[in-house]
Amino acid sequence: MRVLVTGGVRSGRSHRAEELLAHHPDVTYVRPRPLHDDPAWAARLGVLRQRHPGTTWSVSETGDLAEALWTPGPVLVDSVGSWLTRLLDDAGIWDARAEDVTAYVDEELDAALAALVGTDHDRVLVTNEVGLGVVPEHRTGRLYRELLGEVNQRIAAVSDQVHLMVAGRVLLL
């Protein structure tokens, strides 16, 4: 099973992704952005463990999406947007030419998609739906929106299902 769960902020995306994998006792929960000292994330992990008692959901903090998707067993990635941000931050290419940034993202995404389709284990990826809002004023915001839109389309193309979350309700696309 390969599922992309998309929607706006606080639409229920993460909860839906967890529901899809709730029947597995062991899940790797991939958080692409750095953990640092994030009290909100620590609280969220506490809620996650309460919702899934008796399971051994582990957390992996990595910017290497391809590596994370090759992890044995079920994997939940939350979120693709965080991965993209970290990818561009780590490479220091926010101000590079759009064509160069796109080529870099495509290369990294190609590796991730190869891992996504190359395993038989369940994979659920959470992403932001960025095309429904205001056009960003700044170049970096517009670049991010365009890149994430393309990334989402490419992931959706190899997914078995796409779930759109709106106000806590799921629409199967």
Side-chain angles (χ1 to χ4, degrees):
M1 167 185 73
R2 291 187 300 268
V3 178
L4 178 65
V5 181
T6 187
V9 174
R10 306 301 297 163
S11 63
R13 296 168 299 142
S14 297
H15 185 70
R16 177 63 178 172
E18 292 169 20
E19 287 177 343
L20 291 169
L21 295 174
H23 63 284
H24 291 287
D26 301 308
V27 174
T28 300
Y29 198 118
V30 178
R31 180 172 191 224
R33 64 179 168 250
L35 289 173
H36 303 296
D37 291 322
D38 186 345
W41 177 246
R44 188 171 171 183
L45 283 178
V47 169
L48 174 70
R49 289 186 178 105
Q50 287 175 346
R51 282 199 300 250
H52 304 285
T55 64
T56 55
W57 285 41
S58 60
V59 176
S60 171
E61 179 221 330
T62 180
D64 189 338
L65 186 57
E67 179 182 298
L69 291 170
W70 280 118
T71 302
V75 172
L76 188 162
V77 177
D78 194 354
S79 75
V80 174
S82 296
W83 166 76
L84 179 60
T85 299
R86 181 172 178 173
L87 183 70
L88 299 178
D89 284 348
D90 288 354
I93 59 173
W94 282 103
D95 294 323
R97 291 179 336 123
E99 298 82 8
D100 296 336
V101 177
T102 299
Y104 179 72
V105 170
D106 284 346
E107 182 178 320
E108 294 294 320
L109 183 59
D110 287 345
L113 293 176
L116 183 59
V117 301
T119 182
D120 292 330
H121 298 285
D122 289 345
R123 299 291 184 256
V124 178
L125 291 86
V126 176
T127 192
N128 294 56
E129 189 56 50
V130 293
L132 300 175
V134 177
V135 175
E137 177 181 352
H138 301 286
R139 177 195 175 273
T140 54
R142 290 188 303 274
L143 177 64
Y144 175 81
R145 182 193 62 181
E146 296 297 321
L147 289 169
L148 187 56
E150 290 295 322
V151 167
N152 288 346
Q153 288 182 49
R154 290 187 59 201
I155 294 172
V158 299
S159 295
D160 300 316
Q161 298 176 357
V162 177
H163 296 197
L164 172 62
M165 298 301 300
V166 179
R169 304 291 300 264
V170 64
L171 299 168
L172 300 178
L173 305 178

